[in-house]
Amino acid sequence: MCIPACGPCRLRHFFPEQELDMRSGRSLVSLAHELERQLQSKKDLVVPSSLMRHDTDDTGETRLVIGEGGASTPYGVMPLARRQLADKLKIPYAYFERMRSEQPVLLDRNVNTWLQSDDDRRMIRTLDGNVRAVLSDRYRRLDNYDLAESVLPILQQLPDVRFESVELTDTRMYIKCITPQLKVEMAPGDIVQAGVVISNSEVGQGTLSVQPLLYRLVCRNGLIASDRSLRKTHVGRALGSDESIMVFKDDTLQADDKAFFLKVRDVVQAAVSEATFMQAAQKMQKTLQIHLVGNPVKTVEVLAQRYTLNDAERAGVLRHLIAEGDLSGYGLVNAITHFSQEVEDYDRATEFEALGGKLIELPVKEWNELAQAI
């Protein structure tokens, strides 16, 4: 990923200031600033496991010490990277964390023993001097800055495009926008507009995806449709085969990803096409005819068991279902997506928007299990 010739403010002209709805994220300008800041601060290394050493202090703070250019460089280890390291060394994470807090010397002895006996090479992704991800050397880097730079010009060409919610979490970037000219009336006064959700993870927590979004004006909540979406896994060829450390600079990353990002443009345009929107809207409209004839409390309990909702989430969905007074499949879908606005964690809130999309795809048998629960 090379630094743009016009300097580190290249992304900012794509981002007008505006108020955002759905699950509140950051401002558009804030996203641009953070992407540009991270561009300057991140570094990737492909490292033989034998050239890494784990070190934990008495407070439980962990570091990976990596030999670079004849010197040893310590990097702090972020929580996700700790979990990934434990997983790759086949150390149960609960035991890893117990050793970290109670027996740090034992933790280092375990981790370093397995690192020294491991022939694998790891991709170590760092940001601000900390390890943020421990990944396979086959991990393909599809980075947020390049993705934003590729898709934002396309999104701005959509008719009357409105960026509805954007965020950069520890694990993913999200860009959610609406094109209000494409719309359909589900019921009198209940308008749904077309949109698109683009998301990506740089740290191994999911694919790069482009998915249609249905935005309901009444409640200002979104549903992420699961059909006709692009999903690109972060898997490629192994990077390097010698015993040295490989450091990947920005220009290397950009050259590796450029060909794929060119393909994203067509998928974005297809995601907000009239055909895609109408197909998803019709599936959503069919849920109007599904009547929740059983016990709505039991319906939500079945939903919670099937999709692993915790007690607070289950109670929140039920509250919206009862308060909105629509005991239909459509009412359940909207209770789920409306509740997403209350979920503090942006990643989890987006999962609720996607859960609404999963429900409109359910076959009749599975809807009957929900609708008839007693």
Side-chain angles (χ1 to χ4, degrees):
M1 190 189 310
C2 64
I3 299 173
C6 63
C9 61
R10 181 166 178 171
L11 282 181
R12 297 176 204 170
H13 75 277
F14 291 120
F15 291 108
E17 287 283 10
Q18 67 175 66
E19 295 296 322
L20 302 179
D21 291 308
M22 297 174 61
R23 169 70 258 169
S24 296
R26 66 179 69 210
S27 73
L28 295 164
V29 171
S30 170
L31 176 65
H33 278 285
E34 182 59 16
L35 288 174
E36 290 157 358
R37 189 197 70 79
Q38 291 189 8
L39 181 67
Q40 310 299 323
S41 180
K42 60 189 179 184
K43 180 173 69 173
D44 294 336
L45 307 94
V46 174
V47 188
S49 293
S50 60
L51 294 186
M52 293 188 287
R53 178 171 58 84
H54 194 267
D55 179 63
T56 310
D57 65 22
D58 292 339
T59 69
E61 290 295 317
T62 58
R63 288 167 294 278
L64 270 182
V65 182
I66 300 175
E68 296 181 65
S72 295
T73 305
Y75 294 90
V77 185
M78 298 176 70
L80 173 63
R82 287 204 304 267
R83 182 180 292 274
Q84 291 172 330
L85 179 63
D87 180 64
K88 291 186 182 302
L89 296 179
K90 297 182 173 59
I91 300 174
Y93 184 63
Y95 181 50
F96 186 102
E97 287 295 279
R98 182 182 178 188
M99 288 189 290
R100 186 173 69 86
S101 61
E102 299 178 15
Q103 295 288 339
V105 174
L106 179 61
L107 173 63
D108 290 342
R109 185 182 308 135
N110 272 278
V111 172
N112 289 324
T113 296
W114 292 116
L115 284 175
Q116 294 305 309
S117 62
D118 193 345
D119 294 331
D120 289 343
R121 298 164 63 85
R122 307 293 183 193
M123 174 174 283
I124 307 298
R125 307 209 78 179
T126 73
L127 177 68
D128 300 329
N130 295 305
V131 176
R132 56 178 178 150
V134 179
L135 303 164
S136 163
D137 66 348
R138 296 181 63 87
Y139 187 82
R140 181 178 180 184
R141 301 161 316 284
L142 300 170
D143 280 357
N144 295 331
Y145 186 96
D146 295 319
L147 176 60
E149 191 175 42
S150 175
V151 302
L152 287 172
I154 304 160
L155 295 175
Q156 286 204 311
Q157 293 173 13
L158 298 175
D160 299 324
V161 67
R162 185 175 73 246
F163 290 91
E164 206 59 47
S165 183
V166 299
E167 184 57 285
L168 190 63
T169 70
D170 289 340
T171 57
R172 295 190 72 89
M173 178 181 74
Y174 302 90
I175 300 174
K176 304 174 183 178
C177 61
I178 308 300
T179 176
Q181 287 192 13
L182 268 179
K183 59 187 177 181
V184 67
E185 191 172 46
M186 292 287 170
D190 188 354
I191 304 295
V192 171
Q193 296 174 334
V196 63
V197 178
I198 300 168
S199 64
N200 183 49
S201 175
E202 296 184 335
V203 291
Q205 296 301 288
T207 61
L208 186 158
S209 67
V210 179
Q211 298 172 276
L213 173 71
L214 301 183
Y215 182 70
R216 188 174 181 230
L217 290 179
V218 171
C219 298
R220 308 183 82 82
N221 54 276
L223 175 149
I224 299 174
S226 59
D227 61 329
R228 299 193 66 169
S229 60
L230 171 133
R231 293 184 179 276
K232 178 63 177 178
T233 57
H234 292 254
V235 177
R237 60 182 176 83
L239 298 171
S241 58
D242 57 27
E243 294 303 315
S244 63
I245 294 175
M246 299 178 66
V247 181
F248 288 86
K249 304 293 187 183
D250 288 337
D251 55 352
T252 309
L253 297 177
Q254 185 181 53
D256 193 43
D257 299 344
K258 184 176 180 180
F260 172 71
F261 287 131
L262 290 174
K263 300 176 184 177
V264 173
R265 296 179 301 183
D266 291 341
V267 180
V268 171
Q269 291 168 343
V272 290
S273 68
E274 183 174 4
T276 299
F277 171 62
M278 291 307 300
Q279 182 183 62
Q282 286 167 5
K283 290 178 180 178
M284 189 175 183
Q285 206 160 29
K286 287 180 180 178
T287 63
L288 284 163
Q289 309 307 318
I290 299 171
H291 301 291
L292 304 184
V293 295
N295 183 336
V297 175
K298 292 296 184 181
T299 293
V300 176
E301 285 182 2
V302 172
L303 178 84
Q305 291 171 2
R306 184 178 296 174
Y307 296 103
T308 321
L309 276 58
N310 63 35
D311 288 346
E313 292 168 344
R314 175 181 55 79
V317 171
L318 178 61
R319 173 166 42 82
H320 279 285
L321 178 64
I322 300 303
E324 292 165 24
D326 181 1
L327 296 182
S328 69
Y330 186 72
L332 181 60
V333 168
N334 286 308
I336 290 166
T337 56
H338 199 178
F339 173 69
S340 72
Q341 297 180 29
E342 300 178 13
V343 179
E344 291 297 325
D345 182 85
Y346 194 97
D347 293 303
R348 184 59 174 162
T350 302
E351 290 175 6
F352 272 85
E353 294 167 357
L355 176 55
K358 290 177 183 177
L359 289 191
I360 68 173
E361 297 285 337
L362 284 185
V364 173
K365 179 178 181 296
E366 293 187 36
W367 260 120
N368 286 341
E369 292 172 0
L370 288 170
Q372 298 172 15
I374 55 174

